[in-house]
Amino acid sequence: MNWRGVELCCPGCRGDLTEGGDVEPELRCASCDARYPVILGIPDLRVFDDPYIGREADRAKGRALAKRFGDLDFAGLVEHYYAATPVVTPAQARAFSAGLLAAEPRARATLEGWEGPPPAEPRAGTLLEIGCGTAPMLLAARTRYATVVGVDIAFRWLVVARKRLEEAGVDLPTICACAEALPFPDARADVMVGDAVIENVQDQRRTLAECHRVLRPGGALHLTTSNRLSVGPDPQTGIWAVGWRSASSVDARVKRGGGVPPKRTLLSARALRQLLHESGFTGVQLGLPRFPAAQRAQFPPPLRIIAAAYGVATTLPVIRQALFAIGPKVTATARRPTAPS
């Protein structure tokens, strides 16, 4: 089926979908009879739950956020979300909120690192983002591609994403789905991106297999991920050298602070390269992300100094190589081969 200019299929069997629903709108699969609700105009095509919250609770949070949609701006909606989420500590809420507010310039810098300066006019083709969150990358990409689509497993964040898009004066399709079971037919995207998502998916190999399937031959996959071997502070927990510690010690420390331990699998630069090769991608190139000024301004003063030093270090060949080993993040670009290998 064509939904808002995007071709969708059943994420389970890839059968055709049709619109239906007697009480609330839903999408139905003509092949396996699976049914997927459309809530607040967002199709929920998930085949399993967000690791942090069940589907019904997630939908309830999304509906509660939608009730405040008209009287809060984007920053206010984010603040309201964290105020209503007691498992996130106040310190975490401040850090996460600052990251979300600075996310758009970071997304633009990330895209430029992958693809260079934006073209004078959007080029033909489709960019699909997995793990789009509150949609900063979608906003950054809309000047580059004719069609931009976002997917995320968290329904509640897609409601917040709609507010960010509304404030920017754009309306882009967002779909609730799992990265391991994308609701798109084969070979539909020219470019796929995932910013800080591959470490958070349930199954990294299955996610990359889906990216390979949905990309057109010759299409590009761009990723960023936190480096498992980083010696700096972890953006999610604030713990230094988190990948060098045992998972149990990290979880215990986060719990002592009143937070929820992250559910993820961190990758080193070498492991990321190997995983992409094993998933059938070619031309794998690793890089180092930049921290734009708007993002650095959100950091505590000591981290601003470190981030500025990092920016200089990325331009020095010898130190640059060391940063691939122990730097905070790694970027990767790879392609689906134009012919079967």
Side-chain angles (χ1 to χ4, degrees), residues 206-267:
R206 184 59 195 159
T207 295
L208 291 179
E210 280 292 270
C211 291
H212 193 280
R213 177 184 68 81
V214 173
L215 274 172
R216 293 191 173 98
L221 172 66
H222 301 306
L223 300 173
T224 69
T225 186
S226 294
N227 182 3
R228 184 179 70 81
L229 300 180
S230 170
V231 296
D234 174 46
Q236 204 163 344
T237 65
I239 299 172
W240 289 67
V242 70
W244 296 84
R245 305 169 187 265
S246 68
S248 59
S249 69
V250 171
D251 289 357
R253 182 166 170 178
V254 172
K255 288 178 180 177
R256 282 198 301 271
V260 177
K263 299 177 182 181
R264 59 186 180 175
T265 302
L266 295 173
L267 295 166

Side-chain angles (χ1 to χ4, degrees), residues 123-174:
R123 57 178 69 96
T126 296
L127 179 141
L128 170 63
E129 182 182 11
I130 55 172
C132 68
T134 63
M137 186 70 72
L138 299 184
L139 281 181
R142 78 190 192 281
T143 60
R144 292 174 177 265
Y145 292 92
T147 303
V148 177
V149 185
V151 171
D152 202 283
I153 194 173
F155 177 80
R156 60 200 182 280
W157 283 125
L158 293 178
V159 175
V160 181
R162 182 180 293 175
K163 190 66 180 183
R164 188 195 288 273
L165 295 172
E166 179 190 78
E167 288 187 358
V170 299
D171 183 19
L172 300 173
T174 54

Side-chain angles (χ1 to χ4, degrees), residues 2-189:
N2 188 291
W3 182 81
R4 295 189 56 194
V6 180
E7 193 171 355
L8 297 179
C9 67
C10 174
C13 72
R14 298 180 199 154
D16 293 333
L17 294 173
T18 59
E19 295 187 67
D22 297 327
V23 179
E24 293 186 336
E26 65 180 13
L27 303 182
R28 300 176 181 175
C29 178
S31 298
C32 69
D33 199 37
R35 301 187 179 196
Y36 305 98
V38 179
I39 305 169
L40 303 173
I42 301 171
D44 189 346
L45 292 154
R46 289 176 288 187
V47 298
F48 55 79
D49 290 350
D50 179 312
Y52 296 98
I53 187 172
R55 262 172 279 194
E56 287 304 322
D58 188 21
R59 292 165 183 164
K61 275 209 163 196
R63 288 188 173 102
L65 287 165
K67 289 179 180 178
R68 301 300 308 274
F69 205 84
D71 57 306
L72 294 175
D73 61 7
F74 174 74
L77 200 61
V78 169
E79 182 180 357
H80 175 70
Y81 170 81
Y82 284 122
T85 309
V87 294
V88 178
T89 67
Q92 286 178 317
R94 288 192 295 272
F96 295 162
S97 297
L100 291 174
L101 295 177
E104 191 180 346
R106 183 178 70 245
R108 287 197 299 269
T110 300
L111 263 176
E112 190 162 328
W114 285 329
E115 297 192 339
E121 296 290 338
R123 57 178 69 96
T126 296
L127 179 141
L128 170 63
E129 182 182 11
I130 55 172
C132 68
T134 63
M137 186 70 72
L138 299 184
L139 281 181
R142 78 190 192 281
T143 60
R144 292 174 177 265
Y145 292 92
T147 303
V148 177
V149 185
V151 171
D152 202 283
I153 194 173
F155 177 80
R156 60 200 182 280
W157 283 125
L158 293 178
V159 175
V160 181
R162 182 180 293 175
K163 190 66 180 183
R164 188 195 288 273
L165 295 172
E166 179 190 78
E167 288 187 358
V170 299
D171 183 19
L172 300 173
T174 54
I175 299 159
C176 196
C178 306
E180 297 88 340
L182 293 171
F184 308 103
D186 296 355
R188 287 303 190 272

